[in-house]
Amino acid sequence: MVKRMVRGRKAMTTDQSRNYALDEAFELFCKVKEAEGKRKRTLLDYRKHWGYFRKWLDSYHPEITFIRQVTSTIAREYYLYMASDRSKYQGVSNRYLPGVKLAPATVAIRLRSFRAMFRFWTIEGVIKENPTLNIKPPKEDEEEIVVFSEEQLISMLSAANRKTFKGFRDWVLMTLLADTGLRISEAVSLTTELIDFSNNVIRLPASLNKNRKKRVVPFSSHVSANLHELIEENRLHFETDFVFVDVYGKQLTADAVRKIFRRYAEKAGLIGKVKFSPHVFRHFFCRQYLLNGGDIATLQAIVGHADITTTRKYLQVETTHIRSQHEKFSPINRLFD
């Protein structure tokens, strides 16, 4: 029996009597998800997470070659391996950390992809029963978000040599991130047409936003002047609409920025003091926005959080701030001052 699959995409077919090979079933899943408009990053994550599962199967269950051979027992065994046995960066010689287990958040992300695949194959009749149905994601302890202090941010900014093109570009990028809370992927995708200098806002289209909704991101007059200067300098040397480019005029990638910023963090002596990535600039903006009196609903709109519970995490404040605020507003202090 052949079942037609028509869900707002080009019609495809699956033969329910056929036993798909593992990678054949996965390629079918990827083709459909690509047709449904899944982002390139999501599709790459699917391939990466499927690769982890296939390596595990080759090591522990080489006899499994067809998707229908993956039972609930096998699925549960793989989940327990991720949650209890696998070490961080296992298989990566220069980053392997023996004894350091995968974080619950990492396990949850991989499990989410794993379950999405088997849910798809069940719905489409590729398999008869979903072996991941009763596997629940691990519980995650809510961790306090650790961000730059203002002094640490200044140290990062000071590490960039603004007398060079690269140093000035990086300095502008860091100030933009700290001023707007943009994701690094959004910042490196900025083109001049997205920047409205008359209103000092960035108009991000839905295609660049993680939750697929367009949004308007304000920036300060100080950052406006920096952006103007960088764009004018780009025009002197390159023919490009991208704001952040390398010395050859090519668009900077998020991975390149991560490496560049890490070098600045090392130069500023921040490695080991802050869990460093470009995302800490976003954390800095969110925390400072709230501490300086901004409201949470506006912050959610600026940074593009789909769920306000994500934004609420930034209401956590450092112990020093709590102590200073208590000293300032203590009823006993006010009574006896």
Side-chain angles (χ1 to χ4, degrees):
M1 175 182 176
V2 176
K3 178 182 178 183
R4 291 185 67 79
M5 301 188 299
V6 184
R7 295 201 185 96
R9 60 181 190 262
K10 184 178 178 181
M12 301 181 69
T13 60
T14 56
D15 185 347
Q16 294 185 2
S17 64
R18 180 178 172 188
N19 192 3
Y20 285 78
L22 289 166
D23 291 334
E24 188 181 19
F26 176 71
E27 289 304 327
L28 173 65
F29 168 79
C30 282
K31 284 181 180 179
V32 172
K33 293 305 172 184
E34 184 176 6
E36 289 177 346
K38 290 291 185 184
R39 291 185 183 276
K40 184 178 179 180
R41 173 67 182 269
T42 302
L43 295 172
L44 289 173
D45 283 344
Y46 284 148
R47 289 196 176 277
K48 182 169 63 175
H49 297 160
W50 176 252
Y52 295 145
F53 176 59
R54 290 290 280 114
K55 285 181 180 179
W56 177 81
L57 276 181
D58 288 344
S59 297
Y60 293 89
H61 292 282
E63 74 281 3
I64 295 178
T65 56
F66 293 95
I67 199 64
R68 289 182 183 174
Q69 292 176 277
V70 180
T71 63
S72 57
T73 301
I74 296 295
R76 174 73 63 180
E77 187 179 335
Y78 178 60
Y79 167 71
L80 292 175
Y81 165 78
M82 288 194 294
S84 304
D85 297 333
R86 182 176 170 83
S87 296
K88 195 172 185 180
Y89 300 125
Q90 189 168 319
V92 184
S93 58
N94 62 332
R95 301 185 73 186
Y96 179 44
L97 300 173
V100 180
K101 305 305 179 185
L102 295 178
T106 302
V107 175
I109 291 170
R110 295 184 186 181
L111 179 62
R112 187 159 58 242
S113 294
F114 194 56
R115 294 178 67 185
M117 295 172 196
F118 282 95
R119 184 167 56 250
F120 165 81
W121 291 321
T122 305
I123 293 171
E124 303 304 343
V126 174
I127 57 178
K128 294 180 180 179
E129 295 181 358
N130 183 350
T132 68
L133 195 60
N134 295 318
I135 300 177
K136 306 300 180 186
K139 292 185 178 180
E140 302 174 44
D141 293 333
E142 186 172 314
E143 297 182 1
E144 183 180 359
I145 298 172
V146 179
V147 302
F148 282 142
S149 65
E150 290 183 342
E151 292 76 14
Q152 288 171 329
L153 176 61
I154 291 171
S155 295
M156 272 290 289
L157 292 171
S158 299
N161 181 3
R162 291 158 60 186
K163 294 181 179 179
T164 67
F165 169 77
K166 290 195 295 183
F168 178 65
R169 175 204 64 196
D170 298 339
W171 184 82
V172 173
L173 178 54
M174 286 189 280
T175 58
L176 175 69
L177 295 175
D179 191 52
T180 62
L182 284 173
R183 298 177 178 92
I184 189 60
S185 59
E186 296 166 346
V188 296
S189 298
L190 284 182
T191 57
T192 53
E193 65 179 7
L194 299 179
I195 303 176
D196 178 356
F197 282 108
S198 61
N199 293 294
N200 277 4
V201 296
I202 295 166
R203 302 187 185 277
L204 281 181
S207 60
L208 291 184
N209 201 8
K210 188 176 180 180
N211 63 10
R212 301 207 171 205
K213 294 181 180 180
K214 63 181 181 180
R215 78 181 200 268
V216 175
V217 181
F219 53 85
S220 67
S221 56
H222 184 81
V223 167
S224 177
N226 298 338
L227 286 171
H228 258 302
E229 187 175 346
L230 178 62
I231 289 170
E232 289 305 311
E233 189 161 343
N234 286 345
R235 286 172 177 164
L236 286 175
H237 305 290
F238 315 115
E239 292 183 5
T240 181
D241 290 326
F242 286 108
V243 177
F244 297 103
V245 297
D246 63 19
V247 292
Y248 302 102
K250 301 295 184 181
Q251 177 192 7
L252 273 184
T253 65
D255 283 342
V257 173
R258 291 185 184 98
K259 293 175 183 177
I260 292 167
F261 281 10
R262 185 169 183 84
R263 288 197 292 270
Y264 287 140
E266 289 172 349
K267 186 176 178 181
L270 299 181
I271 300 299
K273 296 180 180 179
V274 177
K275 187 178 180 181
F276 185 79
S277 77
H279 216 65
V280 295
F281 290 93
R282 182 171 168 88
H283 293 330
F284 174 85
F285 168 74
C286 291
R287 179 66 64 81
Q288 292 301 122
Y289 184 90
L290 292 174
L291 289 180
N292 290 334
D295 67 276
I296 193 168
T298 304
L299 176 60
Q300 181 192 11
I302 292 173
V303 297
H305 286 150
D307 190 336
I308 201 168
T309 57
T310 304
T311 320
R312 284 199 184 100
K313 292 179 181 179
Y314 292 98
L315 289 173
Q316 302 170 352
V317 291
E318 296 93 338
T319 302
T320 53
H321 180 75
I322 293 173
R323 198 164 54 240
S324 67
Q325 290 298 95
H326 177 268
E327 187 69 19
K328 183 177 179 180
F329 297 110
S330 164
I332 296 298
N333 279 351
R334 293 170 68 88
L335 183 64
F336 291 103
D337 277 351

